[in-house]
Amino acid sequence: MPQIRHDWDKTTTGKTIAEVHYVPTKPDPPSPEGEEAYAEILNTAVDRKTFNIRLADTDEGRNSANMLVDRMYSWRGYATSSQTLENPNLLTLIAAENHSTIGTISISFDSPAGILADETYKDEIDIFRSGGSRICEFTKLAFDPDVHSKLVLASVFHVAFIYAWHIRNYTDLFVEVNPRHRRFYERMLGFKRHGQTKNNPRVNAPSVLLRLELGYAEHQIQKFGGSSDHPASEKSLYPYFFSQREEEGIAHRLLDLDKDSREMFG
């Protein structure tokens, strides 16, 4: 297995949250199935690269995230949804390599206006609201198909998790995915399905609602995080997450950024 590690000591300052060095791998055979391609990556080293994870808190950052989402959604035959705008209940992260955006994810937090998934699955989500769960949603997850690394996907997902769980204290994460991607989320991250397959009007494609208990994710990260360079029987994405030491450093940085954001929005 090629050595893959997170160099927290080399993380830059400012709005950059983490800098990660990684060894990309070649998928064999190539897969057109979007997120599921990451589950089929082989350990064939190419060369060592670096990417940064940072907030898309400027017009330029949000535009680069939107362009990647539009490109990947169009490639999969999905309709493109509205652009990502500045919103106190929405946080967008981007992964950038050599000034090019290679990945993005947005975190939407529950509010009186609800979350996007309410448009299709409000009854299912309300069950958890009524039980006291604090609801958030990951949306607009997109990665450049030329970037072949589980580490990129896991690192971006982990930073989003840290913000939702450690900084904002949300308990339940929902995502809407195409049914053909359901098993990837279940197998690699521990999501559970809720409700029936429905049409998602924002992308004009079938979707299923998946839920992840963030407490479960925290347990898996504590158990496996930062162990991807040590071969083991664990086949999920969690070994590619940051180690506990790295997670603590990222949480401190996100806490500072969150304070700045809250002051900006009053």
Side-chain angles (χ1 to χ4, degrees), residues 9-264:
D9 294 337
K10 293 184 179 181
T11 301
T12 57
T13 58
K15 295 298 178 73
T16 296
I17 299 164
E19 180 178 275
V20 182
H21 301 295
Y22 75 106
V23 178
T25 54
K26 292 181 179 179
D28 184 22
S31 169
E33 291 296 323
E35 293 94 336
E36 286 190 310
Y38 293 99
E40 306 300 329
I41 290 174
L42 299 182
N43 297 314
T44 304
V46 181
D47 56 6
R48 195 166 183 263
K49 295 186 177 183
T50 301
F51 67 92
N52 296 294
I53 301 174
R54 57 177 181 263
L55 293 180
D57 58 351
T58 64
D59 288 341
E60 180 182 4
R62 286 187 286 269
N63 287 338
S64 68
N66 288 331
M67 289 175 63
L68 179 61
V69 170
D70 287 347
R71 179 161 63 92
M72 294 311 302
Y73 278 32
S74 296
W75 178 63
R76 294 171 187 159
Y78 300 159
T80 55
S81 56
S82 59
Q83 297 293 289
T84 301
L85 302 175
E86 195 171 25
N87 183 330
N89 295 310
L90 181 72
L91 181 87
T92 297
L93 300 171
I94 58 174
E97 182 181 296
N98 296 327
H99 306 291
S100 296
T101 298
I102 61 173
T104 183
I105 192 172
S106 290
I107 318 165
S108 177
F109 298 100
D110 205 10
S111 71
I115 59 176
L116 291 176
D118 282 322
E119 184 175 6
T120 313
Y121 290 102
K122 188 176 187 305
D123 290 343
E124 291 84 350
I125 296 170
D126 278 347
I127 293 172
F128 296 95
R129 288 190 178 104
S130 63
S133 296
R134 287 173 53 81
I135 302 300
C136 64
E137 176 184 37
F138 284 3
T139 65
K140 297 186 177 181
L141 174 65
F143 288 85
D144 190 314
D146 292 331
V147 178
H148 304 306
S149 174
K150 290 181 181 178
L151 187 61
V152 178
L153 175 62
S155 297
V156 172
F157 195 97
H158 193 174
V159 173
F161 161 83
I162 293 170
Y163 190 80
W165 173 253
H166 290 290
I167 307 303
R168 298 290 295 270
N169 300 314
Y170 281 74
T171 62
D172 292 73
L173 167 65
F174 286 92
V175 297
E176 287 181 274
V177 303
N178 190 291
R180 68 175 181 266
H181 301 154
R182 174 179 61 87
R183 290 188 62 191
F184 173 84
Y185 283 88
E186 292 174 339
R187 183 174 66 251
M188 302 299 279
L189 291 164
F191 278 87
K192 303 296 183 183
R193 178 175 177 172
H194 291 272
Q196 301 300 313
T197 299
K198 300 181 182 181
N199 186 68
N200 183 327
R202 295 184 304 280
V203 296
N204 192 29
S207 69
V208 293
L209 181 71
L210 303 180
R211 168 179 167 262
L212 178 65
E213 292 185 54
L214 294 183
Y216 167 83
E218 171 70 359
H219 177 75
Q220 297 302 301
I221 292 166
Q222 290 179 352
K223 185 175 181 180
F224 298 111
S227 65
S228 62
D229 54 350
H230 303 294
S233 59
E234 177 60 29
K235 301 301 182 182
S236 74
L237 272 183
Y238 288 109
Y240 295 88
F241 280 46
F242 294 102
S243 67
Q244 183 174 354
R245 179 179 68 88
E246 293 165 327
E247 182 182 72
E248 291 172 355
I250 292 170
H252 284 301
R253 178 156 305 191
L254 284 170
L255 190 61
D256 290 339
L257 295 175
D258 186 62
K259 183 189 304 182
D260 293 342
S261 174
R262 289 173 184 267
E263 290 175 353
M264 180 177 66

